[in-house]
Every structure is written in C-alpha cells, then in structure tokens.
Amino acid sequence: MAERVRNVQVLLKNHVNGVPTESDFTIVTSSIQLQIPDDCRGGVLLKNLYLSCDPYMRIRMYGKQEPESYFEPFTPGSPIMGLGVSRVVLSSHPDFKKGDLVWGSTGWEEYTLSKSPETLYRILDTDVPLSYYTGILGMPGATAYFGFHDICSPKRGETVFISAASGAVGQLVGQFAKLLGCYVVGSAGTQEKVDLLKNKFSFDDAFNYKEEHDLNAALKRYFPDGIDIYFENVGGKMLDAVLLNMKRGGRISACGMISQYNRFEELEGVKNLFLFVSKEIRLEGFLVTTYFPQLQKFTDAVLPLIKEGKLAYVEDFSDGLETAPAALIGLFSGRNVGKQVVIVARE
Amino acid sequence: MAERVRNVQVLLKNHVNGVPTESDFTIVTSSIQLQIPDDCRGGVLLKNLYLSCDPYMRIRMYGKQEPESYFEPFTPGSPIMGLGVSRVVLSSHPDFKKGDLVWGSTGWEEYTLSKSPETLYRILDTDVPLSYYTGILGMPGATAYFGFHDICSPKRGETVFISAASGAVGQLVGQFAKLLGCYVVGSAGTQEKVDLLKNKFSFDDAFNYKEEHDLNAALKRYFPDGIDIYFENVGGKMLDAVLLNMKRGGRISACGMISQYNRFEELEGVKNLFLFVSKEIRLEGFLVTTYFPQLQKFTDAVLPLIKEGKLAYVEDFSDGLETAPAALIGLFSGRNVGKQVVIVARE
C-alpha cells in the first residue's frame, strides 16, 4: 500500500473578469497516495519545490473569450497550473527517474501527478540556485533570450527601451542588450526598482513611469534621438508613447502586454499605429514555447554568463503555498521586486 | 526671349484638419517662361500629362504634427506636390533630354520646374498607356509588389485579405497573390467595386464593408480557418477585426491606413493588439521609397505580365486640373473606382 501524504492545493474558485483578488482562490488540504495509478502509465509524480508566478497566468483565469485564443482557461475547482521546479518522486516514464530534478508544467500544490512529462525539462546543472529554473534559466529567461536576439535583430550601439524592466524578463533583456553594447533604458513602477535597474542590472538609465504624467516626454528625455528597439511587456498607453519615439526602421518584440490582462472586457485602444507605416516599424509577437525546441542553445549561452558573474538576477520569494494567490495577483500591481517565486518546499 | 505659356495651378489654400473640401484648394492661372533659370542648373522643365491622386497626400495637407513624422507638410499658397507622368520640355540635367517621358515627383500645374530630377524616372516602354506610370507601373504598383512579396513572405495556398482592395494598390496585391496560388478576398465600399474584384481582378471573393455591421463576423464567413496575410490599407476598426481572424504566425504588411487620414487629431484606438502575442503575428510598415533602388526588378516583373494580359488594371480618370481637388478628396469617401488619375494634357 502506497504512502499517503498531505497535499495542500491552490484552486481557482471561479473565472475572473477585472482585477483578481485572493477571494478568487481557495486553499484546500487533501491527501494523495504516492503512486502512479494504472491509467497514468507514462506519467511521473512530482514533489513541487518552487512555483513560478507569471503574468500570462492571468489570461488563463478568464473563461474562454476573445481576444485570447491560445491560452486555455483554468478549470474552476482545480489547482492552478503553471511552471515550477519539482523533484521526481515516482516515474513510469523512460526519460525520468526517481530523484530527478525537473522544471516545467506543474500544479499549484505540494504533489502533482504529471500525465504529460514531455512538458518537463531535466535540470542537469545544480551549481546554481534551483529557483533559477523558474526564471533566468527557465521560461522567462528563454523569453528574454530569444525575444531579444531573434526578434529584435539588435546591433551594437542601438538604443533599447524595456518596459516592466525589473521583472523576470525585463531585467534579462536589459542585460543581454548591455552585453551586446546597446544603450539601455528601462521603466518600472517604484524608485526601488529604478535603483535596481541602474545599480544592479547596469541599465544606462531608468525611470518610474508612475511619476511621469507624460510618457512621451519622458521617453524623449531618455531617447532624444529615438528608440531602435522596444521590448514590449506592457501594451496600452506605453506602446502609444513608444511609437511616437521609435526611430525609422525600429523593431518591437512583444512577449506580453500586462497592462491589458485585467481588462480584457474593455481593452485600451492604441492610437498611433500609423507610425508603423511612416517610420517603417516592425512589431512581432511571439510565444516562447515556439522556441522550446532550441532551449539547449539558450541554456548553453546563459549558464556560463551566470557562473562568470556577468548576469545579475533578482528574485522575490513568497514562502508557502498559502501565499501563492497574493504573490500571483501582486504581479499586476507591481508588488514584486524581480522574479516572483513561491517556495513550496525546501529540501 | 523664352516663350511664355499659361500655367494653371492647383494650390493648397491652408493646412487642413478633419475632412478636406474643395474650398481648401484654389485654382489659379498664371504664366511661366519656358526656360530653366540660371539658379536652377541641373533642373528640368516638365510639361505634366497625368497626375496621381494618392491617399498619403492627405497627410501632407496637415501642418507639422505628430504622429506624422515622415511626410513633409505642403506649403499653403504653393502648388500641391505629388507624382505624375510628364514630358521633359527643357533639360539642363545630363540624364534627361528634351522630349523624354518621365514619371515621378511633380507639381499640380501644367508646367513644373523640377529642381531635383533625381526624383524622376525615365519611361522607356511606351507600349502601355502612359497613365499606367502613375499606378501599376509607378509608385502604387511598386507598393503592391514589394509590400506583398518582400514583407508578407507569401506561400502558395495561403489565405490573403486585402482592404481597400479595388484601389490602386489593392487590386494589384490581390492579383499578385492569385498568381502565386493564394486564396484572396478583398473588401471595398460599393457593390460595383465588389463586382470588379470578383469579375475583373479574379479575387476568390469580396464584400462591401459598408454593408457589414460586424466586420469580425464578415471575415469569419470568408476565412473560416483564418487569415495568413493581411495587406493593410485601412487601419482602425478593420485592423481590429482582422486581428481577431489572423492565423497563428500571420503577417501584416502596412503601406497605409486611410481610415485615419482625416482624423489625425483624434485617431481611432485599436484594441486587439495582445493578439500579436498570442497568435505570433508580425506587422511591418513600409514606405515604398525604401524600395525605389529596386524599381527595375519591379518593372521587369510587371511589364511582361501586363503585356501578356495576366494583370488587369482599372483607372478612374478625372479630366482637367480644375477637377483635381475633387478627385483627391474623393479618395477618402471612396468616390473613385480603381486608380484615380487626373488628366492634365493629352498629347
């Protein structure tokens, strides 16, 4: 008879329009048998260690609706699904064995029975903090890496603007751009984050967008000759202001538009789109999963940079599954400083 | 003493916000000496034959303002400047001689002293109507050719949607796409134009956008599996609806957004931009002048297609300079059927 253990879970109570609150989630405690049922052959049982709070998860909290069309809605009454770092407790899959560390798709609970281990990636290098595989060495890192290098066609000396720049993706894009010899400015929502950008992440400059009543004027101050590359994490008003400041032939890489995620019922209109024509701007959106077949290339590039101390990285830890709802919804008010991680278990 | 001739001119009276009317123009009759003044060495004197009415010209009727940043404002009290077909009357430039036919930058008047003949292109093939060099063999043709082939990365069997499809650019994009084996649908603003698209330009289908109260639903009817390529001439509401119907990995080539040109003071917001991310859409704006160094490639490709009868082309002639203001502003109410040309002189 398999051992039975406690399994605290974070469930989505209901689909959510507007701003999510903690009352949209429930924490329940049940138990789980440490076994892989017969109808789950090929599956693995995971013990979750770190969970990743990512802006795209907000989109899955809506019921099915346009304009989302790619992100499957969460199922109310079921655990939130996301990315995390886990240890394999039991495996019936040839690619994984008990004790392996993995990152990838998992549930917001202590133990997850993964029926699709092809969404898990083995962690081979443990000389870095394991939590890094929710960020700099995981999905957000790959987003920054491919979204900047593949989509922005960056060149030494070009000017780069990054919104939500102290977040998991932004802080890395800025550092990749600096390593390439670009001039880099970021925006963030507090003085503390602005200081981080300038002092920790080596941005050339940074500003607090909440203190600028005129984003266009702010961008003109930092980019008197215009912006070659915009790494778009925000959308809405920021995109409108950026368009006014793009250089001819500029490129915009869009991995997300967090300013819109709580207002899908009433999206903000962006007005200055004619500038795409008159300035010959290219905008390309992408989903990082498209690049997952090339993850090795990313890991091979970034791991050495971390070990040589050439990339700084800031995480914001929230301790315990019961803190996870607040951590997730905190992304949308900018509560987090750096990559938001939930600690489920310490080993 | 040089001959003095009458020179009817179309002047812009004032910069224009909102919808332009004929009262924003003046027709004046003066005279001009058929000579190249000493301070214009290198210039050529042109007798204008055909003038081109193009949507971008509306932008030059504004005073200097954002979001335009590329198109120089017209000078009130001076002749409208645009593109046309002209005969060289006198030349002090080594590349041009008396009697040459050219297309390129000229004024809305009977005679124009061109101080920058590098903006003129010699017409070498006169087996086609000369007016074609204001359209299918001129700037709009190059816009269609490069904007479709270079920016849309089209492949046989892909689905293509074209707005303002019966206009100078749209009718050609659709035919280029058909020649490549794409499925092509266009929108236009009258039944007559819809019929043209289907019967003359061989589009697979077409619809009258003014009769659709729900553009999203209309597009879903014609593209049940989505749109691979959108050739954007319109912007605003149409772009919003198209985004809802783009396929993952779709491409949008934007040469203009005519729906916005009379409302630069109050641009329409486009809301569905997050779909650029979730559908991995690429939007690229362009100015055809960027491709002018490759004009020969375009002419070499298109001239044979015209002569072999593989490209249809419809022009809308307006006879006489005094009809030019009405012809130009008619573009914005869709009065023209096909490429709008003003006849200045018959030879």
Side-chain angles (χ1 to χ4, degrees), chain A residues 151-334:
Chain A
I151 293 187
C152 297
S153 319
K155 288 185 281 293
R156 177 174 302 280
E158 288 195 315
T159 60
V160 177
F161 176 59
I162 302 159
S163 54
S166 71
V169 174
Q171 57 176 280
L172 296 172
V173 173
Q175 293 180 85
F176 290 143
K178 283 305 299 175
L179 287 171
L180 209 74
C182 296
Y183 171 81
V184 180
V185 177
S187 64
T190 67
Q191 187 56 45
E192 178 188 8
K193 294 178 186 181
V194 167
D195 291 342
L196 262 186
L197 292 175
K198 292 200 276 194
N199 303 327
K200 178 98 182 173
F201 300 132
S202 313
F203 281 47
D204 292 288
D205 223 323
F207 66 90
N208 180 349
Y209 74 92
K210 291 182 179 168
E211 293 189 347
E212 303 288 345
H213 70 283
D214 181 344
L215 291 172
N216 177 20
L219 289 167
K220 284 201 166 25
R221 206 163 63 228
Y222 294 100
F223 297 97
D225 299 320
I227 299 168
D228 289 301
I229 291 172
Y230 174 43
F231 200 95
E232 164 69 301
N233 293 307
V234 163
K237 287 182 185 60
M238 184 61 92
L239 178 54
D240 247 342
V242 167
L243 286 170
L244 293 172
N245 289 282
M246 290 297 287
K247 281 192 203 175
R248 188 162 170 186
R251 288 132 274 151
I252 301 177
S253 170
C255 76
M257 296 188 179
I258 193 171
S259 74
Q260 303 303 297
Y261 292 177
N262 286 339
R263 50 182 297 174
F264 267 14
E265 318 83 352
E266 199 181 340
L267 290 158
E268 202 171 357
V270 174
K271 296 187 169 183
N272 295 322
L273 300 186
F274 178 66
L275 292 172
F276 278 101
V277 178
S278 63
K279 295 183 176 184
E280 306 195 295
I281 299 168
R282 169 164 60 81
L283 163 67
E284 194 162 347
F286 70 103
L287 298 166
V288 66
T289 45
T290 298
Y291 290 97
F292 274 13
Q294 302 179 56
L295 275 179
Q296 193 60 49
K297 178 180 162 191
F298 150 69
T299 313
D300 290 347
V302 172
L303 250 179
L305 292 173
I306 296 173
K307 293 185 178 179
E308 293 160 21
K310 289 183 179 160
L311 282 178
Y313 184 56
V314 170
E315 298 169 287
D316 190 334
F317 289 104
S318 184
D319 202 346
L321 267 175
E322 65 282 1
T323 68
L328 177 58
I329 64 188
L331 292 178
F332 302 96
S333 57

Side-chain angles (χ1 to χ4, degrees), chain B residues 2-62:
Chain B
E3 184 186 0
R4 181 169 281 276
V5 295
R6 184 194 67 173
N7 192 26
V8 173
Q9 299 181 304
V10 180
L11 314 182
L12 183 69
K13 207 186 286 178
N14 42 258
H15 286 140
V16 181
N17 289 332
V19 180
T21 64
E22 290 191 55
S23 66
D24 294 314
F25 303 82
T26 332
I27 314 281
V28 298
T29 303
S30 58
S31 67
I32 184 173
Q33 276 198 321
L34 295 184
Q35 65 178 18
I36 297 174
D38 287 342
D39 61 351
C40 287
R41 284 300 113 190
V44 300
L45 184 68
L46 302 173
K47 181 185 183 198
N48 296 314
L49 307 177
Y50 297 99
L51 295 175
S52 178
C53 294
D54 296 297
Y56 82 87
M57 298 171 74
R58 170 64 189 91
I59 301 167
R60 301 190 64 184
M61 294 173 65
Y62 285 98

Side-chain angles (χ1 to χ4, degrees), chain B residues 5 85 281 340:
Chain B
V5 295
V85 170
I281 299 167
Q340 182 68 60

